[in-house]
Amino acid sequence: QVQLVESGGGSVQAGGSLKLSCAASGYPFGSDWMCWFRQVAGKEREGVAVIYTAVSESRYDESVKGRFTISRDNTKNTLFLEMNSLRPEDTAMYYCAASKFRTLSKPLASGNYHYWGQGTQVTVSS
């Protein structure tokens, strides 16, 4: 079945950058919706960036808009999240996810996603 594996997390100082990767396998990398989520222990998971592959459109949570960029490499079945101007509040476990739905009214809602990776930790120090 579909597997998603995140990598690229680490520890950086505020203002720094990281690029996360999510390698997909098991089935063709053709989901209409691919999303990056993050979660802090004790808090709910929140969507930060989503890409609608059919028209290559992206949407971002307001907290990361202008700082993060989501992209996809179809030839390598890999999803990316370029993270710039990182802030301490960006510290979280980051997950990639894919949805089987063809239409999403709330593309950043975790309940819409069916496939999940195991996460990669991002820590930003002030």
Side-chain angles (χ1 to χ4, degrees):
Q1 58 182 9
V2 172
Q3 290 185 309
L4 303 173
V5 181
E6 303 95 335
S7 62
S11 299
V12 298
Q13 294 185 14
S17 300
L18 284 174
K19 186 176 183 178
L20 307 183
S21 299
C22 175
S25 63
Y27 290 103
F29 196 59
S31 298
D32 287 341
W33 304 90
M34 297 289 294
C35 190
W36 284 97
F37 291 83
R38 65 187 181 188
Q39 186 171 30
V40 178
K43 301 181 67 176
E44 65 270 16
R45 188 169 299 183
E46 63 177 1
V48 297
V50 61
I51 185 167
Y52 179 57
T53 60
V55 294
S56 298
E57 291 291 334
S58 302
R59 181 182 175 185
Y60 301 88
D61 182 79
E62 192 65 28
S63 66
V64 306
K65 194 171 186 177
R67 301 187 297 119
F68 291 10
T69 301
I70 187 171
S71 62
R72 176 180 173 180
D73 185 338
N74 292 334
T75 64
K76 298 180 179 180
N77 284 355
T78 303
L79 183 74
F80 301 99
L81 183 66
E82 180 70 33
M83 310 165 68
N84 299 309
S85 301
L86 284 163
R87 305 166 180 170
E89 51 263 45
D90 294 319
T91 295
M93 184 72 75
Y94 283 73
Y95 301 87
C96 65
S99 177
K100 296 189 293 185
F101 292 138
R102 288 171 287 185
T103 300
L104 291 177
S105 59
K106 302 292 183 181
L108 290 173
S110 62
N112 290 324
Y113 291 81
H114 305 87
Y115 306 111
W116 294 85
Q118 294 182 325
T120 185
Q121 179 68 39
V122 171
T123 302
V124 185
S125 60
S126 60

